[in-house]
Amino acid sequence: MSCSRMENKILGYVDGRLKESERLEVEKHLATCPACRLRVNEFRAVSELLDELPVIDPSPAFDLRVHARVAALPVKQSWWAAFLPAPRVAIAAAMLVMATVWVGTRPNNPPQIAVDDIPVVENLDVLSNFDVLTELPPPVQADDGGQTNPQM
Amino acid sequence: MARSDVQLMLDVKAGDEQSFTLLLHRYRTPLVNFLYRMVRNREQAEDLAQEVFLRVYKAREDYVPSAKFTTWLFRIATNLALNSVRDTRYQRMEISLDAPVTVGAEEGEEKTLDVAEKNPNIEQHLVEETRKKMIRHAIEKLPEKQRAAVLLHKYQELDYGEISKILQCSESALKSLLFRAYETLRVELAPLVAQHGK
């Protein structure tokens, strides 16, 4: 292995992330190359120095803030929900349909009573009993120039 | 037995809010630390970490376990961090040189030197803090993508395959990126590296 090929292997070697075959190859090179050996030692020192940085804890309110931001998200509706009417509109539409159906199922020609027919209806018994008419005296013959019914 | 990340996420998808809380507890600290080291501001890091969890929650219905959960999680976090760093790059150049020298900023406990001097153990304390500060600044000076690669590799212990997916580059390019980053760190931290070898 050449020094230039060590570039891609050196950090993996320091961190122990190389495959066994790669590790052996690197160690074989290091045994004969003081410059790469020095580089490995320096990289190892850098890696250990990076370990010295302390870990910080999130602030106590961190979780609360996340949950508050999640709670503030708008409620997501499915795509077909956009076609669903609001409850008030649905109720109004249902009432309209019911009214239409009711009107549509009513008889088409309901019996109509004209105002002028009311007296006739009141005398319906008399009019329907035609025998009364037969009991009337026979009409007087018109021999006096038009006086047909002296009672009228 | 603890449920896997993928199982928890599938449970969140099915409407289990408690599983989301478990994911939050599992990843809040790694995320806040990663983002803090990326954006160098604790408050901003927490805001970004909250945004990451919010995006995870919003994407729950479309979640398909095609990759490791951490790959997805840190990809969101990395994209947010890189955008944030680019947005605030020029603001950071305007930091006043008159600001007091501080130590202990890593823990969010900023102390001015004149206050710290009253501490009898201050010498040792200052040595340690200076050392941490050098390390932190060396990381901060790395270009954003190299910094993200180092943080994901070193602190999150993600494998090369995962990191290359997060950073959207080949594994070979990632190894080269990491090598250059460690070369820069080796130079920046040369005094400490030399001490370390003794």
Side-chain angles (χ1 to χ4, degrees), chain A residues 35-127:
Chain A
C36 285
R37 217 163 38 239
L38 176 64
R39 183 68 50 81
V40 164
N41 288 335
E42 289 176 333
F43 273 25
R44 187 168 283 139
V46 168
S47 182
E48 288 173 7
L49 285 169
L50 294 181
D51 285 332
E52 292 184 18
L53 285 189
V55 173
I56 62 167
D57 289 323
S59 61
F62 183 83
D63 288 11
L64 281 177
R65 290 198 186 112
V66 172
H67 285 302
R69 289 180 72 173
V70 165
L73 286 173
V75 177
K76 193 176 176 184
Q77 291 186 330
S78 56
W79 64 270
W80 53 266
F83 296 101
L84 292 177
R88 286 181 188 172
V89 175
I91 290 170
M95 290 177 71
L96 184 64
V97 168
M98 288 168 65
T100 306
V101 169
W102 180 71
V103 169
T105 54
R106 286 171 64 197
N108 286 334
N109 297 311
Q112 292 184 354
I113 301 170
V115 175
D116 295 342
D117 294 337
I118 291 174
V120 176
V121 172
E122 286 175 350
N123 297 322
L124 187 59
D125 292 338
V126 176
L127 290 173

Side-chain angles (χ1 to χ4, degrees), chain A residues 7-8 12 15 17 39 42-43 47-52 54-59 63 67 69, chain B residues 21 25 28-29 33 37 42 46 50-51 106-107 131 135 153-155 158 175 179 183 186 196:
Chain A
E7 186 176 305
N8 277 358
D15 291 333
R17 296 190 187 197
R39 183 68 50 81
E42 289 176 333
F43 273 25
S47 182
E48 288 173 7
L49 285 169
L50 294 181
D51 285 332
E52 292 184 18
V55 173
I56 62 167
D57 289 323
S59 61
D63 288 11
H67 285 302
R69 289 180 72 173
Chain B
T21 303
H25 290 175
R28 60 188 170 185
T29 301
N33 277 273
R37 286 170 184 152
R42 185 171 184 151
E46 292 213 356
Q50 288 165 24
E51 181 64 28
E106 178 72 26
E107 297 82 8
R131 189 181 171 91
I135 297 168
H153 174 264
K154 179 64 191 170
Y155 298 107
L158 303 182
K175 286 175 182 174
F179 180 82
E183 275 290 283
R186 182 179 68 87
H196 204 272

Side-chain angles (χ1 to χ4, degrees), chain B residues 29-96:
Chain B
T29 301
L31 266 183
V32 168
N33 277 273
F34 170 72
L35 289 164
Y36 174 59
R37 286 170 184 152
M38 281 298 294
V39 303
R40 294 167 274 182
N41 178 291
R42 185 171 184 151
E43 192 178 344
Q44 197 181 358
E46 292 213 356
D47 281 347
L48 290 175
Q50 288 165 24
E51 181 64 28
V52 173
F53 283 113
L54 198 66
R55 290 190 183 196
V56 166
Y57 187 82
K58 283 162 79 173
R60 68 195 183 286
E61 288 175 3
D62 301 321
Y63 177 72
V64 178
S66 55
K68 285 183 78 172
F69 176 76
T70 45
T71 306
W72 181 48
L73 188 75
F74 279 98
R75 187 168 179 174
I76 297 171
T78 303
N79 288 339
L80 282 171
L82 291 175
N83 287 338
S84 177
V85 167
R86 285 162 193 159
D87 289 346
T88 57
R89 180 180 295 154
Y90 296 106
Q91 293 173 14
R92 291 196 166 274
M93 292 170 71
E94 296 170 1
I95 292 174
S96 171

